[in-house]
Amino acid sequence: MPETRLVAFDLDDTLAPSKSPMDPRMSQLLADLLNVVPVCIISGGQFAQFKMQAIDNLPESGSTHLERLHLMPTCGTQYFRFENETWEQIYAENLTDDEKSRALAAVETRAKELGFWESDTWGPILEDRGSQITFSALGQAAPVPAKQAWDPTGEKKNTLREAVAADIPDLEVRSGGSTSVDITRKGIDKAYGMKKLAELTGIPLDDMLFVGDRLDENGNDYPVKALGVRCEAVEDWEDTARFIEALIPQLAPAAV
């Protein structure tokens, strides 16, 4: 059995409900896990979302181990480390102005043609995240039940992804969260992020474990599985909590 020297997690619906803060139980478990092994969070949201959902909810007891926490917003197109008492951006694979404008135009045009452009939303549908353009059908702040009801099978999201990908073949177009489509530079997805993580930490991919809720072929976690990283599929944050509770005793002896 390979040694687990780093555990990486998706964020939405893996560590926390979509776009919502982590439950206190999960916050404590994440802090406990940081006591025994480095942790990475890699997801489609921006750094501010990572901060709101995860970092700001860690208990005080876990704050001394923030140097062991690796943050990879926008599907690994950005990377942050806690250095000198602050979060420093190590890299960002930003889109050019031309790439952004073409991505925004393509996703808006296709969403309207397909009837997926909603008039009643919770915030903007389109978001420029620097290194990623994100389409959120109901807006970034939409409540979880509304998002679950909009596209329960993922058919709408996948149809939109295929249509947009045909319009901008030089860019990467992926299904994101429950109602979102993400656009980045070509070849940059969570697999790219994991490879960069291995390069920057010196921890081989074989010694990493990834936990996510979208490891199916159409999911945005799938590139990590296709890369050959060991993966644990979960249904929701409570499923993840149970997994971490069982994992910590297994990893603790190696951390002594």
Side-chain angles (χ1 to χ4, degrees), residues 9-51:
F9 296 90
D10 171 50
L11 180 52
D12 277 348
D13 298 319
T14 296
L15 289 176
S18 181
K19 306 297 185 295
S20 304
M22 289 193 304
D23 184 89
R25 176 187 173 200
M26 177 58 77
S27 298
Q28 186 60 59
L29 281 169
L30 198 61
D32 292 345
L33 185 61
L34 279 166
N35 285 332
V36 297
V37 71
V39 169
C40 173
I41 302 175
I42 179 168
S43 194
Q46 299 190 81
F47 175 77
Q49 186 179 320
F50 279 50
K51 193 170 185 298

Side-chain angles (χ1 to χ4, degrees), residues 55-218:
I55 302 167
D56 289 349
N57 298 291
L58 287 171
E60 288 300 316
S61 60
S63 62
T64 54
H65 294 291
L66 289 178
E67 75 282 353
R68 294 174 128 184
L69 184 57
H70 305 261
L71 301 181
M72 295 190 126
T74 52
C75 295
T77 60
Q78 299 176 21
Y79 177 47
F80 289 80
R81 292 297 308 277
F82 194 71
E83 298 176 352
N84 304 314
E85 300 302 310
T86 189
W87 288 99
E88 299 281 357
Q89 186 179 77
I90 307 302
Y91 73 74
E93 300 286 358
N94 288 325
L95 294 162
T96 66
D97 288 343
D98 173 67
E99 288 169 336
K100 288 179 184 180
S101 63
R102 289 188 293 110
L104 288 164
V107 73
E108 180 172 350
T109 298
R110 292 301 183 184
K112 287 179 175 177
E113 286 178 356
L114 291 164
F116 299 159
W117 192 269
E118 303 292 338
S119 56
D120 187 12
T121 65
W122 289 263
I125 293 174
L126 296 177
E127 191 177 0
D128 177 357
R129 297 178 176 177
S131 56
Q132 178 177 292
I133 297 298
T134 295
F135 164 90
S136 299
L138 300 177
Q140 276 297 306
V144 174
K147 291 199 287 188
Q148 290 174 336
W150 186 78
D151 188 22
T153 66
E155 184 179 354
K156 289 181 181 178
K157 192 172 50 173
N158 291 333
T159 299
L160 178 60
R161 187 208 68 78
E162 290 173 7
V164 175
D167 287 345
I168 45 173
D170 59 315
L171 298 176
E172 195 76 41
V173 185
R174 299 180 310 277
S175 295
S178 53
T179 63
S180 64
V181 169
D182 298 324
I183 303 169
T184 61
R185 290 172 59 190
K186 199 72 174 176
I188 298 186
D189 53 19
K190 288 188 180 181
Y192 171 88
M194 294 297 288
K195 286 187 283 189
K196 288 288 286 186
L197 187 63
E199 174 189 321
L200 293 165
T201 62
I203 299 174
L205 290 170
D206 287 347
D207 291 346
M208 294 183 183
L209 173 65
F210 177 83
V211 182
D213 72 307
R214 293 296 317 279
L215 286 160
D216 56 284
E217 226 170 304
N218 290 317

